[in-house]
């Protein structure tokens, strides 16, 4: 939005010596000393924490308004208001009087000059820190080894995502998707949205709550978020622009209450798919997709229209067979899918940890077998038989006709009992590599030896007792090393820790055939 309060609130010099030392993204709040979500006041250059930490930036604005109430109205307008501040991580500008993000600037361009100065300070601090860490690693091979195995050591190259207020469900999904190489690379290579004309030409675009739906692009904000991760230029990135776009186009996720990570993932993939179908920034989806023939050539799974990178990577096809138990009529139906939701078999639901001795451990194979086994539909799911002309008892069985490049498996940990949605806290054992899906295929004889093997790429974990509460984190492998993503904190971990996690969503990537093993 165009803010009318900049001239009275932006008073500091762009290269003010009053700024604290060090990296702006790690500046500490002058009240509580927290370095999470620092904001700098553009009136007095004081640094405070955001509203999702302890809210001292907003309290700083409110305290500055109290003395003004005893002055005349004309004096109010001349006195600096302390109403505008800047996020020290994303460099977006916010006005507390407008209660929205700001896209305009002062006549002298002071906001943009402050933004550029903070970016220079961040880059300088990062360069110095990277040089110091490189020297440390060069001088001690032991430290290098500890970095790879010590689960409590902070990772150097990975970037966390700031929690904007119960947005851990979004952060866990974004970190998981960012570590699926083919999917992530596609978006990072997309062209950026063209810069706007007029007053804001050449400036970075910030989506705000007052903008219309036609001015937002989920693909563009998703692309920018993926580009910010794994650059190593900052310890944490604030995905606020993406979150506001989510608010615009996904009303179910408005507000700051806890949400279901699986539900968010499905909405996200569906909306990315729909937006890519309509073309992106003047470049048609098909033109971009053709550049990567490995995605378009083998893909035959289309959901809601033409194929996109979403269906090319996550898309598979199920065959649903229903047999009437009265006349024997068989009905076959083919359903495309982006993920498979698996029940945890009831006989395992009392087993909460891997080390308990009361019976066998539930495995992912048990869940897959339960999904594909022949089952008789109960009285509430009677099948309408076209031959009998009425609803009859029947059996149902799923086969996988086509496996996706990335197999997403959702374990159904939340279920309704009376008026409550309870959590199934059972530990499910899952392989980190070599998941063989051949026995679930409709025509396994037509598949190569390597085409049905999958290796784990990422895991989303829900901590807590209910879907509306608790906390989400993610594990993901990057360049052979496992990382644990807990909002803005990223730590190195090991395979044993990952294997003990109570998985909620598993992302498996198709194993690539070894070079030279294909047909000539």
């Amino acid at each position: 939005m165009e803010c009318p309060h900049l001239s009275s609130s932006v008073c500091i010099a762009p290269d003010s010596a009053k700024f604290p030392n060090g990296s702006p993204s790690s500046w500490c709040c002058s009240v509580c000393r927290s370095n999470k979500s620092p904001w700098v006041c553009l009136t007095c250059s004081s640094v405070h924490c955001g509203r999702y930490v302890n809210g001292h930036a907003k309290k700083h604005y409110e305290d500055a308004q109290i003395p003004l109430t005893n002055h005349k109205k004309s004096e109010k307008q001349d006195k600096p208001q302390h109403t505008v501040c800047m996020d020290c991580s994303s460099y977006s500008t916010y006005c507390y009087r407008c209660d929205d993000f700001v896209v305009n600037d002062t006549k002298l361009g002071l906001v943009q000059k402050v933004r550029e100065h903070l970016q220079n300070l961040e880059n300088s601090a990062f360069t110095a820190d990277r040089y110091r860490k490189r020297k440390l690693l060069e001088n001690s091979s032991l430290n290098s080894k500890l970095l790879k195995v010590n689960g409590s050591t902070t990772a150097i190259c990975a970037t966390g995502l700031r929690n904007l207020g119960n947005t851990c469900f979004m952060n866990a999904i974004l970190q998981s998707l960012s570590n699926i190489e083919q999917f992530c690379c596609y978006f990072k290579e997309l062209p950026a949205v063209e810069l706007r004309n007029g007053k804001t030409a050449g400036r970075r675009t910030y989506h705000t709550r007052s903008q219309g739906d036609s001015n937002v692009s989920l693909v563009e904000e998703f692309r920018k978020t993926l580009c910010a991760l794994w650059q190593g230029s900052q310890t944490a990135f604030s995905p606020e622009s993406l979150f506001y776009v989510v608010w615009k186009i996904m009303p179910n996720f408005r507000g700051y209450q806890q949400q279901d990570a699986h539900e968010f993932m499905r909405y996200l993939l569906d909306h990315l798919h729909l937006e890519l179908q309509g073309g992106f920034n003047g470049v048609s989806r098909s033109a971009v997709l053709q550049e990567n023939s490995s995605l378009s050539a083998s893909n035959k799974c289309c959901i809601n229209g033409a194929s996109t990178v979403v269906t090319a990577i996550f898309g598979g096809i199920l065959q649903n067979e229903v047999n009437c138990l009265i006349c024997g009529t068989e009905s076959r139906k083919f359903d495309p899918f982006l993920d498979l939701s698996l029940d945890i078999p009831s006989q395992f639901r009392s087993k909460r940890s891997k080390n308990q001795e009361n019976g066998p451990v539930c495995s992912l194979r048990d869940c897959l077998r339960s999904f594909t086994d022949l089952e008789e539909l109960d009285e509430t799911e009677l099948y309408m038989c076209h031959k009998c002309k009425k609803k009859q008892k029947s059996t149902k069985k799923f086969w996988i006709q086509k496996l996706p490049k990335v197999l997403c498996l959702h374990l159904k940990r939340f279920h309704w009992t009376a008026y409550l949605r309870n959590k199934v806290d059972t530990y499910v054992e899952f392989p980190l590599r070599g998941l063989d899906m051949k026995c679930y295929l409709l025509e396994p004889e037509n598949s190569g030896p390597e085409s049905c093997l999958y290796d784990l790429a990422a895991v989303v974990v829900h901590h807590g007792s209910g879907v509306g509460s608790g906390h989400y984190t993610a594990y993901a492998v990057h360049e052979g090393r496992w990382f644990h993503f807990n909002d803005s904190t990223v730590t190195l971990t090991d395979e044993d820790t990952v294997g003990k996690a109570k998985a909620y969503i598993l992302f498996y990537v198709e194993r690539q055939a070894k070079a030279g093993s294909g047909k000539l």
Side-chain angles (χ1 to χ4, degrees):
M1 60 154 285
E2 300 279 338
C3 175
H5 309 113
L6 293 183
S7 58
S8 62
S9 295
V10 183
C11 306
I12 60 174
D15 56 350
S16 174
K18 295 181 180 179
F19 287 133
N21 295 323
S23 166
S25 64
S26 60
W27 283 348
C28 295
C29 173
S30 58
V31 178
C32 65
R33 307 309 298 166
S34 170
N35 64 351
K36 294 181 179 179
S37 187
W39 291 75
V40 60
C41 175
L42 297 188
T43 301
C44 61
S45 74
S46 59
V47 177
H48 297 89
C49 59
R51 66 177 68 191
Y52 306 123
V53 184
N54 291 313
H56 288 125
K58 185 177 182 181
K59 191 173 187 306
H60 172 70
Y61 154 71
E62 292 170 345
D63 291 345
Q65 309 314 303
I66 296 174
L68 299 179
T69 57
N70 299 324
H71 292 74
K72 294 180 181 179
K73 187 174 181 181
S74 59
E75 293 177 346
K76 273 191 196 179
Q77 294 174 344
D78 295 331
K79 188 143 182 151
Q81 303 290 305
H82 299 265
T83 62
V84 180
C85 56
M86 181 176 289
D87 187 333
C88 300
S89 299
S90 65
Y91 314 115
S92 55
T93 310
Y94 191 87
C95 175
Y96 280 109
R97 288 187 68 184
C98 298
D99 194 24
D100 206 345
F101 285 89
V102 177
V103 296
N104 58 318
D105 205 339
T106 65
K107 291 181 180 180
L108 298 176
L110 292 178
V111 174
Q112 182 62 19
K113 290 178 181 178
V114 171
R115 181 178 291 125
E116 291 172 354
H117 181 63
L118 293 187
Q119 288 174 326
N120 290 334
L121 290 177
E122 185 75 35
N123 292 336
S124 299
F126 169 69
T127 302
D129 188 52
R130 185 170 59 179
Y131 176 79
R132 180 183 61 81
K133 287 177 178 176
R134 187 168 61 242
K135 281 294 182 185
L136 234 125
L137 292 175
E138 287 174 356
N139 294 336
S140 175
S141 60
L142 177 61
N143 284 348
S144 179
K145 291 177 183 178
L146 287 174
L147 178 69
K148 294 181 181 179
V149 299
N150 187 351
S152 63
T153 304
T154 302
I156 292 178
C157 58
T159 300
L161 287 169
R162 296 190 188 279
N163 193 317
L164 306 177
N166 282 328
T167 57
C168 56
F169 68 93
M170 179 178 74
N171 293 346
I173 294 297
L174 293 176
Q175 293 287 13
S176 298
L177 295 177
S178 75
N179 284 283
I180 298 173
E181 186 175 1
Q182 247 185 329
F183 187 69
C184 182
C185 288
Y186 173 88
F187 283 93
K188 290 198 292 186
E189 291 169 4
L190 283 175
V193 165
E194 295 176 359
L195 295 177
R196 295 181 292 171
N197 297 321
K199 293 182 180 180
T200 56
R203 297 183 198 156
R204 180 177 171 181
T205 301
Y206 297 96
H207 292 306
T208 72
R209 286 172 285 182
S210 61
Q211 291 177 341
D213 292 351
S214 60
N215 294 325
V216 299
S217 167
L218 179 64
V219 172
E220 168 63 4
E221 293 305 329
F222 186 67
R223 182 194 69 81
K224 289 195 291 189
T225 301
L226 293 183
C227 288
L229 301 175
W230 295 108
Q231 287 184 343
S233 58
Q234 52 187 331
T235 57
F237 174 76
S238 181
E240 58 192 13
S241 294
L242 174 62
F243 192 42
Y244 286 136
V245 175
V246 168
W247 277 26
K248 290 285 188 184
I249 64 177
M250 304 181 201
N252 291 1
F253 297 96
R254 288 176 184 168
Y256 297 100
Q257 65 272 24
Q258 182 64 281
Q259 302 281 0
D260 185 354
H262 174 251
E263 185 180 356
F264 172 75
M265 182 197 74
R266 285 307 312 268
Y267 270 89
L268 178 66
L269 292 179
D270 286 345
H271 281 279
L272 288 172
H273 172 65
L274 290 173
E275 191 172 318
L276 287 168
Q277 281 182 317
F280 178 68
N281 193 28
V283 180
S284 70
R285 174 216 51 85
S286 58
V288 180
L289 194 58
Q290 284 173 3
E291 293 180 4
N292 193 336
S293 58
S294 65
L295 294 182
S296 58
S298 62
N299 176 63
K300 296 179 182 178
C301 175
C302 300
I303 300 174
N304 297 329
S307 171
T308 66
V309 67
V310 176
T311 53
I313 289 181
F314 290 96
I317 299 176
L318 280 176
Q319 178 177 293
N320 183 1
E321 291 182 359
V322 179
N323 284 275
C324 176
L325 291 177
I326 305 302
C327 68
T329 300
E330 183 180 89
S331 173
R332 293 181 181 179
K333 182 183 175 183
F334 293 96
D335 296 313
F337 68 86
L338 295 179
D339 70 309
L340 297 178
S341 291
L342 311 178
D343 280 306
I344 297 174
S346 57
Q347 65 267 31
F348 297 108
R349 292 190 180 182
S350 62
K351 190 172 180 64
R352 293 177 173 267
S353 69
K354 186 176 182 179
N355 299 322
Q356 284 183 357
E357 298 179 358
N358 55 336
V361 175
C362 179
S363 69
L364 186 59
R365 187 168 294 277
D366 293 317
C367 300
L368 284 165
R369 191 181 298 114
S370 175
F371 178 78
T372 56
D373 275 352
L374 185 72
E375 66 169 311
E376 183 174 337
L377 300 178
D378 59 32
E379 296 291 335
T380 61
E381 299 177 296
L382 291 179
Y383 162 66
M384 182 63 190
C385 179
H386 296 291
K387 187 174 180 179
C388 299
K389 304 295 184 184
K390 62 178 181 179
K391 292 185 176 182
Q392 301 282 25
K393 287 188 175 181
S394 58
T395 60
K396 180 179 72 173
K397 180 173 175 59
F398 284 118
W399 294 96
I400 299 177
Q401 193 210 38
K402 176 187 176 293
L403 283 166
K405 293 182 180 295
V406 174
L407 179 64
C408 179
L409 301 176
H410 161 236
L411 299 179
K412 295 161 74 172
R413 290 196 174 275
F414 302 105
H415 65 100
W416 289 98
T417 57
Y419 301 103
L420 299 175
R421 197 178 183 188
N422 293 333
K423 181 181 178 182
V424 179
D425 205 30
T426 302
Y427 170 77
V428 177
E429 193 173 49
F430 54 90
L432 270 65
R433 55 182 65 85
L435 174 65
D436 192 351
M437 294 295 294
K438 193 167 187 175
C439 60
Y440 310 109
L441 281 177
L442 180 64
E443 298 174 342
E445 65 276 4
N446 295 332
S447 304
E450 292 283 325
S451 61
C452 301
L453 293 179
Y454 287 81
D455 297 322
L456 190 65
V459 187
V460 174
V461 180
H462 178 267
H463 310 266
S465 58
V467 67
S469 60
H471 183 60
Y472 286 99
T473 65
Y475 294 94
V477 63
H478 184 80
E479 296 180 352
R481 293 188 296 176
W482 280 96
F483 293 86
H484 183 218
F485 298 92
N486 183 5
D487 287 335
S488 57
T489 303
V490 184
T491 54
L492 279 164
T493 187
D494 53 50
E495 292 187 353
D496 289 340
T497 303
V498 176
K500 293 175 182 176
K502 293 181 180 178
Y504 181 46
I505 306 173
L506 297 150
F507 296 88
Y508 281 93
V509 177
E510 182 184 37
R511 183 178 294 181
Q512 298 298 315
K514 295 179 181 178
S517 62
K519 294 180 181 179
L520 296 175

